[in-house]
Amino acid sequence: MTACWTEIDLDWLRQFMAVDSVSPLEGGRIAATRQAQEVFLAGASARGFQVRHYDSPTAQSLRSGEIPMPVRRVLEADPDTFLAAQPSLVVTMGDPAPPERRLVINFHVDTVGPHIEPRLDGDILHGRGAVDDKGPGVAAAVGVAAAFADDPSLARRIEVMLTSVPGEEGGAMGVLGTRWLVRQGYTGRLMLFAEPTGGRVMDACTAAMTPRLRVLGEGSTDDHPADAHNATVALGFLADHLVRAVGPRAAALGAKLCVAGLHTGTAHNRVYGEGELLLNIAYRDQASAQTLAHELERAVKEARDVFATAHLGNPFTARLVDDWDRVVRLDWLKRGLPVLDNRDPEMEALLAAAGFPRHDGLADGSAFTCDAIWAGGPGRYVAVCGPGRLDENGAHTAAEWVRVDDLATYAGQIRDLVVRFGAHVPTQ
């Protein structure tokens, strides 16, 4: 049986991780995405994969209302240059097959910032992308290659696609890669997203919407504080008002309300007339999303009267009260994104036999948002499953790491899954 993980595979992963592919939406270089794809492609080609697709989405495909604001913003300046630097890569093993005989494994090459160089300490690999998401992607590729090496007849029965995508991090929400590929038909009977879940299958993913509250007024110095629209006071009030007005409703619907960043300024002797407050609402179904969006918009409308009553007779906030409707704004950085919630006893049993048991992430709150939200559809089962865990392995922190042994185990399980999938699906 072909070895599923060797020092050569580890070297490939370390080269892959050494590419600083921090999302351009988090300040990374736009050219780094293609550089990372080239490193992955070189390793995949050496293991027998063939290129099926290596291209970027069109600007036309990114003009719908569900495109998040961070993506719309970068496309305003020079969409052609940006998109050309954000290609998705699809490599395959096996003869071309219809979707019912196709297994698709997805991972993303972009990372959060800042970049952290890979470092091996015994069995622990540290660095950006170790667990989210370059490590799982490389391990999956190694496992697929091992399966076809052990049983060359698989090539006549099934097709396995690895989709290496940009645009998962930085608020892109998968629209630059996974959404585009799914709409181009790169789907299969089983679609596995190699995200860190502790080796458990999660077949439900939340989605998120991000409301933004802004104050666009006039500031002043500390000598004339009553002359300003005090954005710090307004946004601080809104943060408290919204978490009290919407928070309990969100909890009752199984959603997560995050009151995130509030920014106006840093000086002690100014009244800032402009600033913004961000919230994030992760939801598990569209009905909850619509309800919570309505609740939030209603709470924002009610805020003016609540604020005016609380500040009656206060000269330092009188101008803010008078001009509230003109200077306080609500908009949405993202909304309307789909969720994933699918079941398939047949594919669940296949995954469990390969060592990937199903886990109900909605029940215990461990379900999270990832590119899998775009993949659901008739005739396919979409599952999120990979080595390590987002929280325990420090994903999105300066301490990101993964056990090399966990990657090797995952590669072996992917090999087993490919073999079982080949034995299971119909040949005609």
Side-chain angles (χ1 to χ4, degrees), residues 1-5 47 49 93-94 103 105 139-155 157-158 160 411-422:
M1 183 175 290
T2 303
C4 251
W5 188 267
R47 288 158 179 79
F49 286 91
M93 279 196 172
L103 166 62
I105 302 175
V142 169
V144 172
F148 279 84
D150 287 345
D151 184 0
S153 72
L154 285 169
R157 290 181 276 132
I158 61 171
V160 179
Q413 291 171 309
I414 291 293
R415 175 179 60 189
D416 189 25
L417 176 63
V418 171
V419 172
R420 291 176 182 275
F421 184 78

Side-chain angles (χ1 to χ4, degrees), residues 4 12 15 95 122 135 143 164 196 264 300 353 374 383-384 401:
C4 251
W12 176 30
Q15 292 172 26
D95 298 336
S164 176
T264 54
V300 170
W374 300 108
V384 184
W401 62 277

Side-chain angles (χ1 to χ4, degrees), residues 36 47-48 52 63 112 143-144 213 217 249 264 283 294 298 320:
R47 288 158 179 79
R52 178 63 56 82
R63 289 178 181 166
V112 299
V144 172
L213 282 301
R249 184 65 168 145
T264 54
Y283 53 89
H294 175 74
R298 185 174 65 179
L320 181 59

